[in-house]
Amino acid sequence: MNLRSVLFTIIWLLTMLLSLQSGAWKAKQKIVSEEEAKQNANYHMHRPLHAGGKVSMAGQFHLELLSQKDGTHLLWISNAFRQEMDPAGFSGKLTIEHPDGKTEEIPFKRVTRKKVLVAKSGPQSGQVWLTVDGMLGSSIPFRKMKFFWDYEAKMVELGIPNGLDPMLPMPIDNPLTVQKIELGRDLFFDPLLSADGTVSCATCHRPDHGFAEPLSISKGIAGRTGRRNALTILNTAYYHSLFWDGRSASLERQAVRPIFDHAEMGFKEEAEFIKRVDSKYGSRIKEAFGKPTALRTIAKAIACYERTLLSGDSDFDRFERGDREAISLAAQRGRSLFFGKARCGSCHIPPLFSDHEFHNLGVGGGKDLGRFGVTGDPKEKGAFRTPSLRDATLTAPYMHDGSIATLREVIEFYNAGAGPNPLLDQVIHPLNLSDDQIDDLLAFLQSLEGRLADFKKLIPDDTSNGKEKE
Ligand code: HEC
Ligand code: HEC
């Protein structure tokens, strides 16, 4: 560190302390100058500071969690420059969700004079979702920040791209094997899975369109129109709940739904479907699972394939790792807006750029009831899951109804305070961004376009090539 960097840090810290003291943190966000943006790049690393920890970002702050088998869960809070903060003013809890639906809540306690918080539970095993909720002081909220943990984790050999969580959520009863992945890939691209043999999963999840499709609302067999815009399959492995309304809890459970959906692939009879798949894939299914063709084995194979469609190592990820040249200055200013004044980062939380939660943005005039259809909670009418923004450059049009054609128009939509709705999320308000600032935010979103893990092997040769950089 040179003298200038040290001085800059001290001034920055003082400013932040003052703004925290006066409760003006929210109002004080300002756009960084080019020089500041460069400095920022120098300090900001999105990597864990402690071996085995995992990092997620909320606003300008980072939470790092480290969970151990003996039930010790350690939490560190660091600022935008990855300086660890004194957590004395933090009050919050850890929620542990087990696969059987059991949950435990444990408050975080401060260890005397150390910059770490601890939540102690009983011994842990298997796989859980850990959620951190809390407030630092009275003005810095950490809302429902989710971390996946596998205490038996065997690292996947796939090579998880930079920037993504290296611990890939995966059910214990469906480990990845090459046989299953390749079988799943062939099923995914095979129109044999639709009643009239015309539609495959890849019809609506196109590799050349970021595994989504250009139609606003999907069309299935015989031109039947569905209800919503197709979501991408990229990085779906990391979601806690699937679909715009979160109605499915795992890729395994989701995988065969479209097959029996009237407007998608249109099969009516399970037996007929199994017979069809068995005639072509029976022996490969037997080989991969040691079991005959059944909905479960088909679903598991497709899920294995989907789980390998990982996109990361974007220019943004390279920047976060300290490559100061990886994104343009416009994107760096956009990054500051994203996590600051524009508040995008309070819902689109890295590394996935989703908080796994449901919000109402007043899209589509309330015709689609969204999350309400799953929970029946009137407060969730018109709420939809925050989608990841990784590779959003590839997946136009946008929103659950595909009603917005370009990313620039999405930003303009937020700038105007989103759509009118009595249940509009409280974070949403008009942003007063200038045209230049909108361009900066757009440049930042463009920096989130990723590179795929082991991409070539995952797309059969006879379909159009997906994107590939380098
Ligand atoms: C007719 C078009 C169509 C076909 C065919 C189709 N999908 Fe989809 N898919 C969609 C739409 C639309 C959504 C979003 C629906 C919603 O959220 O209600 C979606 C959502 C998904 C999701 C959830 C992604 C997320 O982020 O939560 C997965 C996974 C998925 N599809 C996998 C598949 C698989 C596997 C197949 C083949 C067996 C398939 N889809 C066939 C249109 C299609
Ligand atoms: C209150 C939480 C919240 C905030 C704040 C927020 N978003 Fe979103 N974002 C969502 C939700 C929820 C959706 C889906 C809404 C729908 O379809 O009804 C979404 C959709 C999007 C999409 C479309 C993605 C796709 O695949 O269709 C983009 C792009 C986007 N947001 C960017 C931004 C930007 C840029 C900002 C800051 C200006 C921002 N978001 C702020 C929750 C949020």
Side-chain angles (χ1 to χ4, degrees):
M1 259 202 302
N2 55 31
L3 185 64
R4 196 167 157 187
S5 321
V6 173
L7 276 176
F8 176 78
T9 313
I10 292 170
I11 291 168
W12 190 89
L13 274 175
L14 281 176
T15 320
M16 199 170 80
L17 265 176
L18 280 174
S19 62
L20 283 179
Q21 217 86 48
S22 61
W25 171 249
K26 280 178 200 165
K28 273 263 168 71
Q29 312 273 8
K30 69 172 183 17
I31 322 129
V32 289
S33 67
E34 293 189 351
E35 194 48 37
E36 266 176 298
K38 275 191 196 151
Q39 296 283 5
N40 193 339
N42 211 1
Y43 286 97
H44 186 102
M45 300 283 185
H46 202 85
R47 276 179 285 186
L49 299 174
H50 304 268
K54 291 196 192 193
V55 184
S56 190
M57 230 174 149
Q60 298 284 1
F61 298 87
H62 298 76
L63 282 188
E64 182 177 346
L65 186 69
L66 171 58
S67 180
Q68 293 164 340
K69 269 189 171 178
D70 69 355
T72 315
H73 313 271
L74 303 169
L75 185 73
W76 294 269
I77 303 170
S78 53
N79 62 25
F81 301 99
R82 299 315 303 279
Q83 274 137 344
E84 285 180 358
M85 300 175 69
D86 184 347
F90 181 86
S91 66
K93 61 170 195 223
L94 176 78
T95 307
I96 310 176
E97 273 175 84
H98 298 273
D100 59 5
K102 256 201 324 215
T103 62
E104 327 169 36
E105 286 185 3
I106 306 151
F108 277 106
K109 295 210 174 80
R110 190 180 171 222
V111 182
T112 333
R113 264 181 274 133
K114 284 204 181 127
K115 289 188 176 169
V116 61
L117 294 150
V118 178
K120 186 92 179 116
S121 69
Q124 297 293 323
S125 63
Q127 302 176 329
V128 294
W129 280 91
L130 301 172
T131 308
V132 177
D133 274 296
M135 290 283 284
L136 181 61
S138 59
S139 58
I140 306 170
F142 297 101
R143 285 190 301 127
K144 295 192 170 160
M145 305 202 36
K146 277 198 156 63
F147 298 83
F148 171 79
W149 223 275
D150 183 344
Y151 298 95
E152 269 68 47
K154 298 180 249 357
M155 281 307 179
V156 190
E157 291 193 8
L158 193 69
I160 310 270
N162 271 337
L164 301 182
D165 187 338
M167 205 182 267
L168 189 66
M170 196 185 310
I172 286 161
D173 67 351
N174 192 22
L176 288 179
T177 66
V178 175
Q179 264 175 336
K180 284 195 266 176
I181 295 169
E182 289 180 353
L183 176 61
R185 174 196 63 194
D186 295 348
L187 290 166
F188 191 90
F189 286 91
D190 198 337
L192 176 116
L193 267 65
S194 61
D196 64 359
T198 59
V199 171
S200 75
C201 306
T203 305
C204 305
H205 301 290
R206 284 169 42 176
D208 65 345
H209 201 79
F211 285 87
E213 66 163 336
L215 287 176
S216 299
I217 302 289
S218 284
K219 277 200 166 88
I221 64 163
R224 287 174 200 159
T225 307
R227 281 200 303 159
R228 293 183 184 146
N229 180 248
L231 281 158
T232 175
I233 310 293
L234 294 171
N235 297 330
T236 43
Y238 291 109
Y239 281 113
H240 189 243
S241 44
L242 292 162
F243 290 122
W244 284 107
D245 53 12
R247 68 187 179 279
S248 193
S250 75
L251 288 172
E252 278 74 7
R253 267 181 249 178
Q254 191 280 335
V256 287
R257 278 186 186 231
I259 295 163
F260 299 100
D261 185 314
H262 176 73
E264 294 190 343
M265 300 162 97
F267 262 104
K268 288 202 187 78
E269 295 289 323
E270 185 180 321
E272 188 196 341
F273 169 69
I274 300 291
K275 208 175 131 200
R276 172 100 68 88
V277 175
D278 192 55
S279 63
K280 183 165 171 190
Y281 294 97
S283 59
R284 285 177 69 190
I285 291 174
K286 188 91 212 258
E287 238 172 79
F289 292 95
K291 285 183 184 153
T293 308
L295 281 188
R296 266 184 82 77
T297 43
I298 295 169
K300 279 183 171 179
I302 294 177
C304 278
Y305 170 62
E306 292 176 312
R307 204 161 272 131
T308 59
L309 293 174
L310 301 175
S311 171
D313 195 24
S314 63
D315 293 344
F316 161 79
D317 296 307
R318 293 180 177 195
F319 178 79
E320 297 291 305
R321 289 208 143 210
D323 176 358
R324 293 162 56 173
E325 314 281 294
I327 67 176
S328 65
L329 286 171
Q332 293 180 35
R333 288 191 301 268
R335 179 182 166 282
S336 295
L337 287 165
F338 187 93
F339 293 112
K341 180 183 173 193
R343 314 282 309 261
C344 316
S346 65
C347 299
H348 297 283
I349 302 177
L352 185 60
F353 285 87
S354 171
D355 57 357
H356 303 259
E357 287 294 318
F358 303 85
H359 306 274
N360 187 319
L361 301 188
V363 174
K367 284 194 291 288
D368 187 335
L369 295 178
R371 184 67 176 160
F372 172 77
V374 177
T375 61
D377 180 349
K379 289 195 293 297
E380 297 196 293
K381 277 189 184 154
F384 293 86
R385 189 193 67 194
T386 308
S388 169
L389 300 181
R390 289 183 178 272
D391 296 301
T393 39
L394 305 171
T395 62
Y398 302 102
M399 305 302 190
H400 71 268
D401 57 356
S403 58
I404 305 186
T406 65
L407 282 178
R408 196 171 209 286
E409 287 166 281
V410 174
I411 301 170
E412 283 162 1
F413 172 78
Y414 281 110
N415 200 29
N421 194 292
L423 294 169
L424 191 66
D425 194 280
Q426 286 176 357
V427 175
I428 300 290
H429 58 88
L431 299 172
N432 297 315
L433 302 176
S434 69
D435 260 12
D436 286 346
Q437 290 178 320
I438 292 178
D439 288 340
D440 290 345
L441 260 180
L442 183 61
F444 176 70
L445 294 183
Q446 284 161 346
S447 80
L448 299 179
E449 190 174 317
R451 296 165 175 87
L452 271 99
D454 196 17
F455 194 48
K456 274 195 199 129
K457 212 176 75 196
L458 300 173
I459 313 288
D461 299 333
D462 53 4
T463 53
S464 48
N465 295 325
K467 68 196 173 105
E468 221 184 339
K469 281 192 182 174
E470 291 178 331

